[in-house]
Amino acid sequence: MNVQAPLLARDAARPKAKFRPPAVHQVRVEGFFGPRIDAIAATTAHTLLDRCIAAGMLDQVDPDRPNPGLKIPFQTGNDTVTTQMFWDSDFGKSIETAAYALSRKPDPALEARVDEVVEAYGRLQDENGYLNSWYQRIEPGRRWTNLRDCHELYDAGHMMEGAVAYFHATGKRRLLDIMAGYADHIASVFGPGEGQKRGYCGHPEIELALVRLARATGERRYLDLARFFVDERGAAPHYFDEEARARGRDPQDYHFEDHRYTQSHEPVRAQRHVVGHAVRAAYLYSGMADVSTEYGDETLKPALEALWGHLTEKNLYVTGGFGPSAHNEGLTFDYDLPNETAYAETCAAVALVFWANRMLGLGPDRAYGDVMERALYNGALVGLSLDGTRFFYDNPLESRGAHHRWRWHRCPCCPPNIARLVASVGTYAYGEAEREIAVHLYCEGVADLETAGTKVRIRQETRYPFEGRVALTVEPEAPADWTLSLRLPGWSSAIAVSVNGEAVEVGAHEEKGYLRLTRRWAAGDRVELDIDMPVERLHARPEIGADQGRVALQRGPLVYCLEEADNGAHLNSVLLTPESAFRCEEASDLGGATVLVTQGLREIGADGAALYAPTAPMREAASLRAVPYYAWDNRAEGEMLVWVRQEGAR
């Protein structure tokens, strides 16, 4: 049962919004993502609940179960985990994933499992609405005393997102009402009023979640609370310092050195550089973009645009991942983009997709659409195995053979995060405005949208991202004048477009990298795009020392890598030549993915040669096979390399 958002959420809670993404149930995705969503619906959604419960999460939540205490270890495959303060967030994301799975296909067993968890939360909730299993079951009496280091509001945000998704998927209001009650309690505790706390979470997330809750319920006060959290962050006197003193601690006694880690080092409108923990940063910027869109708040745009530029121009991996350091799970200094030690957490790439999508709420702009696509197809999608059962937490761009997917993780934030993103990918493909529909991503499927007071169905037929031909059939309920905006990917220099068989002069209708077609649309109108997909050899800026003399291979939105399974070991002994020509092949062992095959060279050390010698190694011809980065480590274990040496490269 798919439930439309209430009319109130579309009107009263929409002060000045420009473009909004459709709900998941409005878009039926097939093609490239279809099998992946099917795998999540059939397998991953159950796997997430299995492993959450095996880790003891339901024991921590349910007041009818014995109190789990502070330290109980659970063995979950690769690692032993203990009770954790952010477990509610993992349940929230797992519920959200299950909701999208139920939107894909009915599954009474899965629905019953979610209902069991929801009822446990219902029993746990205080009369005043407060709901956090850690502070109710593990450390009672300490709620709202350490927002800097702990995760109360972050947990609440993910539970809110799960509640909204589950309501849309099933029509059941139980969890939505529980979380609305908690949001009301939070609004009574935090705010500018007398006796209220002027705090915010050390781990941003609730800001964007409150916007989703407002859209689902139509309650403007949740938007106002999101705006409060955004506006208050970094204000003087610094809340985290005052909070530390209140609990008898020195504010300088801080594991991560200063407030840049939580992006609270200065008010958000003054921020110009992406700093600190990568996931927290992108979640915060997502919330800022949502607030800017919903309120038409132009004062947030200079900061958002500067932060975007700083990330994408100086700190973004070619895969769309970011945050090179394991120490702070985040940023270090500009152009610090090592390959073998890259952290590039899956959650960071997922959060970048969220941020990019929300920047598109301000209007179609290829600067955001292209990065959203890069992060989605590469840095995020790599976090989920092809069968939907194993996961990556960190994502290096080079491995000597020791980096492999996890069955679970001691910090299990990434598995449900990538699962909920992929299962809801249809909502990132489109944007709806009053007289415009934007198409941000190309994928086989059907979308039921609305613009100019008319319901519009758009059908996409394509084998994208493996082929660049896309056909869109527009089916409005009645003829109407509006604009269809289509992203023109920046990685392609040759794009041909026709409408009903007549060629369109792309340059005459392009604006910020989108083709804007304004006309009276009628049922059966057909737009066809032919997007050239050459194999590109990307070169890094000279400031990125690790990549000099090397190239990264990209075709369409996909970044490629070499694996030992195809090319043998010692991948750094392989070279491309300027003459290496690529052909595309379909790989049955990788779900039908397009792989790249070419001829290159391999350097060979002579038997008995010294470790260092004045003569160059011998070379021999070598057949090379590159696979999409998202698909690596799905077959035999071994080495992996994204940046490949190239003869003659600078």
Side-chain angles (χ1 to χ4, degrees), residues 22 45 78-79 184 248 355 357 361 379 397 416 424 429 435 460 485 507 514 558 574 577 616 635:
N78 301 71
D79 206 357
D184 290 338
W355 180 20
N357 183 253
L397 281 73
S424 62
R435 303 197 69 83
Q460 285 198 49
S485 290
Y514 276 69
L558 301 179
V574 168
T577 71
R635 301 172 296 167

Short mmCIF file of all heavy atoms in Angstrom, two decimals, residues 22 45 78-79 184 248 355 357 361 379 397 416 424 429 435 460 485 507 514 558 574 577 616 635:
data_model
loop_
_atom_site.label_atom_id
_atom_site.label_comp_id
_atom_site.label_asym_id
_atom_site.label_seq_id
_atom_site.Cartn_x
_atom_site.Cartn_y
_atom_site.Cartn_z
N PRO A 22 10.44 13.46 -5.87
CA PRO A 22 9.22 12.67 -5.69
C PRO A 22 9.41 11.65 -4.58
O PRO A 22 10.54 11.31 -4.21
CB PRO A 22 9.03 11.98 -7.05
CG PRO A 22 10.43 11.88 -7.59
CD PRO A 22 11.15 13.11 -7.12
N ALA A 45 17.15 -6.37 3.01
CA ALA A 45 16.27 -5.83 4.05
C ALA A 45 16.15 -6.80 5.22
O ALA A 45 16.16 -6.40 6.39
CB ALA A 45 14.90 -5.50 3.47
N ASN A 78 32.72 -10.80 11.10
CA ASN A 78 34.09 -10.33 11.15
C ASN A 78 34.49 -9.74 12.50
O ASN A 78 35.67 -9.60 12.79
CB ASN A 78 34.32 -9.23 10.08
CG ASN A 78 34.04 -9.72 8.69
OD1 ASN A 78 32.89 -9.94 8.35
ND2 ASN A 78 35.07 -9.90 7.89
N ASP A 79 33.54 -9.35 13.31
CA ASP A 79 33.92 -8.53 14.45
C ASP A 79 33.02 -8.81 15.65
O ASP A 79 31.94 -9.39 15.54
CB ASP A 79 33.80 -7.05 14.06
CG ASP A 79 34.73 -6.17 14.87
OD1 ASP A 79 35.41 -6.70 15.76
OD2 ASP A 79 34.76 -4.97 14.59
N ASP A 184 7.96 16.62 18.79
CA ASP A 184 7.31 17.65 19.60
C ASP A 184 8.04 17.83 20.93
O ASP A 184 8.20 18.96 21.42
CB ASP A 184 5.85 17.28 19.85
CG ASP A 184 5.00 17.38 18.59
OD1 ASP A 184 5.40 18.11 17.66
OD2 ASP A 184 3.95 16.71 18.53
N GLY A 248 30.81 19.21 34.37
CA GLY A 248 32.04 19.17 35.13
C GLY A 248 33.27 18.80 34.36
O GLY A 248 34.25 18.30 34.93
N TRP A 355 23.42 15.45 -0.27
CA TRP A 355 23.71 16.89 -0.37
C TRP A 355 23.52 17.39 -1.79
O TRP A 355 22.86 18.41 -2.03
CB TRP A 355 25.13 17.16 0.14
CG TRP A 355 25.55 18.59 0.10
CD1 TRP A 355 24.75 19.69 0.04
CD2 TRP A 355 26.89 19.10 0.10
NE1 TRP A 355 25.49 20.84 0.01
CE2 TRP A 355 26.80 20.51 0.06
CE3 TRP A 355 28.14 18.49 0.16
CZ2 TRP A 355 27.95 21.32 0.06
CZ3 TRP A 355 29.28 19.30 0.16
CH2 TRP A 355 29.18 20.69 0.12
N ASN A 357 21.69 16.17 -4.14
CA ASN A 357 20.28 16.14 -4.49
C ASN A 357 19.55 17.34 -3.90
O ASN A 357 18.67 17.94 -4.54
CB ASN A 357 19.65 14.85 -4.00
CG ASN A 357 18.19 14.71 -4.38
OD1 ASN A 357 17.31 14.83 -3.54
ND2 ASN A 357 17.92 14.46 -5.66
N GLY A 361 17.59 21.00 -5.35
CA GLY A 361 16.33 21.59 -4.95
C GLY A 361 16.28 23.08 -5.23
O GLY A 361 15.20 23.67 -5.35
N GLY A 379 31.49 5.79 -5.56
CA GLY A 379 31.84 5.81 -4.15
C GLY A 379 30.81 5.24 -3.21
O GLY A 379 31.14 4.71 -2.15
N LEU A 397 41.30 3.26 -3.07
CA LEU A 397 41.38 3.20 -4.53
C LEU A 397 42.53 2.30 -4.97
O LEU A 397 42.84 2.20 -6.16
CB LEU A 397 41.55 4.59 -5.13
CG LEU A 397 40.26 5.43 -5.21
CD1 LEU A 397 39.82 5.91 -3.83
CD2 LEU A 397 40.44 6.63 -6.14
N PRO A 416 23.03 -0.31 6.28
CA PRO A 416 21.68 0.19 5.99
C PRO A 416 21.67 1.50 5.22
O PRO A 416 20.69 1.81 4.54
CB PRO A 416 21.06 0.34 7.38
CG PRO A 416 22.22 0.54 8.30
CD PRO A 416 23.33 -0.27 7.73
N SER A 424 15.97 3.48 -2.79
CA SER A 424 15.15 4.68 -3.03
C SER A 424 15.71 5.53 -4.16
O SER A 424 15.38 6.71 -4.28
CB SER A 424 15.08 5.53 -1.75
OG SER A 424 16.37 5.98 -1.37
N ALA A 429 16.23 10.70 -9.07
CA ALA A 429 16.28 10.84 -10.52
C ALA A 429 15.52 12.05 -11.04
O ALA A 429 15.80 12.53 -12.14
CB ALA A 429 15.73 9.57 -11.19
N ARG A 435 6.16 24.51 -12.50
CA ARG A 435 5.96 24.42 -13.96
C ARG A 435 7.17 23.77 -14.63
O ARG A 435 7.52 24.11 -15.77
CB ARG A 435 5.68 25.80 -14.56
CG ARG A 435 4.48 26.52 -13.95
CD ARG A 435 4.02 27.65 -14.85
NE ARG A 435 3.43 27.16 -16.07
CZ ARG A 435 2.16 26.74 -16.21
NH1 ARG A 435 1.35 26.75 -15.17
NH2 ARG A 435 1.72 26.32 -17.38
N GLN A 460 11.15 6.04 -19.08
CA GLN A 460 12.51 6.02 -19.61
C GLN A 460 12.83 4.63 -20.14
O GLN A 460 12.59 3.63 -19.45
CB GLN A 460 13.53 6.38 -18.52
CG GLN A 460 13.59 7.84 -18.16
CD GLN A 460 14.89 8.16 -17.42
OE1 GLN A 460 15.99 7.80 -17.85
NE2 GLN A 460 14.76 8.87 -16.30
N SER A 485 13.45 19.59 -18.08
CA SER A 485 14.89 19.86 -18.03
C SER A 485 15.65 18.55 -17.92
O SER A 485 15.38 17.74 -17.02
CB SER A 485 15.23 20.76 -16.84
OG SER A 485 14.75 22.07 -17.05
N GLY A 507 22.71 23.57 -27.84
CA GLY A 507 23.30 24.79 -27.29
C GLY A 507 22.31 25.92 -27.09
O GLY A 507 22.46 26.74 -26.18
N TYR A 514 21.83 21.81 -18.23
CA TYR A 514 20.57 21.11 -18.44
C TYR A 514 19.93 21.62 -19.73
O TYR A 514 19.98 22.82 -20.03
CB TYR A 514 19.60 21.34 -17.28
CG TYR A 514 19.81 20.41 -16.10
CD1 TYR A 514 20.95 20.51 -15.32
CD2 TYR A 514 18.89 19.42 -15.78
CE1 TYR A 514 21.17 19.67 -14.24
CE2 TYR A 514 19.08 18.58 -14.71
CZ TYR A 514 20.23 18.70 -13.94
OH TYR A 514 20.42 17.85 -12.87
N LEU A 558 30.81 5.77 -14.98
CA LEU A 558 31.50 4.71 -14.24
C LEU A 558 33.00 4.87 -14.27
O LEU A 558 33.61 5.03 -15.33
CB LEU A 558 31.13 3.34 -14.82
CG LEU A 558 29.65 2.97 -14.82
CD1 LEU A 558 29.45 1.59 -15.43
CD2 LEU A 558 29.08 3.00 -13.39
N VAL A 574 51.89 -2.84 -14.26
CA VAL A 574 51.15 -2.71 -15.52
C VAL A 574 51.19 -1.26 -16.00
O VAL A 574 51.10 -0.33 -15.21
CB VAL A 574 49.69 -3.17 -15.30
CG1 VAL A 574 48.82 -2.78 -16.48
CG2 VAL A 574 49.64 -4.67 -15.08
N THR A 577 49.59 2.33 -22.66
CA THR A 577 50.35 3.14 -23.61
C THR A 577 49.41 4.14 -24.26
O THR A 577 48.18 3.96 -24.24
CB THR A 577 50.99 2.26 -24.70
OG1 THR A 577 49.97 1.78 -25.57
CG2 THR A 577 51.75 1.09 -24.08
N ALA A 616 66.46 -0.17 -16.59
CA ALA A 616 65.02 -0.29 -16.45
C ALA A 616 64.58 -1.74 -16.55
O ALA A 616 65.24 -2.55 -17.20
CB ALA A 616 64.31 0.55 -17.52
N ARG A 635 34.33 -11.24 -6.69
CA ARG A 635 34.75 -12.54 -7.20
C ARG A 635 35.92 -13.03 -6.34
O ARG A 635 35.83 -13.02 -5.12
CB ARG A 635 35.15 -12.41 -8.68
CG ARG A 635 34.01 -11.89 -9.57
CD ARG A 635 34.50 -11.58 -10.97
NE ARG A 635 35.47 -10.49 -10.97
CZ ARG A 635 36.25 -10.17 -11.98
NH1 ARG A 635 36.17 -10.87 -13.10
NH2 ARG A 635 37.10 -9.16 -11.91
#
